[in-house]
Amino acid sequence: MKKKLEDAKGLWPEILPEILWAYRTTPKTSTGETPYFLVYGTDAVIPVEVGEPTLIYSHESRPRNDESRRQELDEVEERIDMAYIRLITHKQQAERYYNKKAKVRPLKVGDYVLKAKTQEGKDPREGKLGTNWDGPYKITATAKKG
């Protein structure tokens, strides 16, 4: 999508609705559902499919269509719950991947540590080349977790 917008240069206002439609109707990896479905509870139909009848639309009768819509509405909550479960699973996988590379080093009494400065703690006169750390500080006692 970003590539298409970059190629359009000055025409991006005309292309933006197409890009947004593509984003809203593409299933996301983390949930397995489209953002459109998660908001409205139904899958989006591409406008071309409405204008040009496909086999799905040509063989549907009104009573059958109403029944299938009722069935979809009954399953909406279940699909949203499953999307939420997939989202949590995706986050846990990302956390495991990150933690696999992180090296845990327990700190002991007597170790020296640096403390990161916050934006408020930085001197504005130093600019971006100022120090990002305070310290070193020596650990004198341990506290309970939390």
Side-chain angles (χ1 to χ4, degrees):
M1 289 185 252
K2 183 178 177 183
K3 174 89 169 114
K4 192 167 184 174
L5 281 174
E6 286 174 354
D7 291 343
K9 300 287 181 198
L11 300 175
W12 70 268
E14 289 83 27
I15 295 177
L16 188 60
E18 297 172 22
I19 301 291
L20 291 175
W21 180 261
Y23 175 79
R24 292 177 187 140
T25 58
T26 303
K28 302 299 165 220
T29 306
S30 57
T31 60
E33 297 291 346
T34 65
Y36 190 92
F37 173 79
L38 293 174
V39 172
Y40 298 109
T42 185
D43 289 320
V45 179
I46 299 172
V48 173
E49 291 179 4
V50 174
E52 297 290 326
T54 61
L55 287 174
I56 295 170
Y57 289 104
S58 60
H59 293 296
E60 284 291 320
S61 64
R62 188 155 186 88
R64 234 171 87 195
N65 188 27
D66 292 342
E67 181 59 36
S68 66
R69 181 65 182 143
R70 277 191 216 95
Q71 181 71 22
E72 284 179 14
L73 289 173
D74 291 340
E75 296 171 357
V76 165
E77 289 296 322
E78 184 179 334
R79 283 181 67 183
I80 289 174
D81 289 342
M82 290 303 296
Y84 180 72
I85 291 169
R86 282 191 296 270
L87 177 68
I88 297 298
T89 305
H90 184 74
K91 285 183 179 182
Q92 288 172 344
Q93 287 173 347
E95 182 181 5
R96 277 196 304 271
Y97 177 78
Y98 172 77
N99 289 340
K100 183 171 59 175
K101 294 185 175 200
K103 294 181 182 176
V104 178
R105 183 175 168 259
L107 299 173
K108 301 177 292 245
V109 174
D111 288 348
Y112 287 95
V113 295
L114 295 174
K115 180 181 149 196
K117 282 187 181 179
T118 60
Q119 283 291 20
E120 296 81 31
K122 290 185 179 182
D123 186 5
R125 291 175 285 150
E126 290 179 348
K128 67 179 183 180
L129 298 177
T131 60
N132 294 327
W133 305 96
D134 279 339
Y137 295 104
K138 187 174 186 178
I139 298 177
T140 58
T142 59
K144 293 183 180 178
K145 190 173 184 178

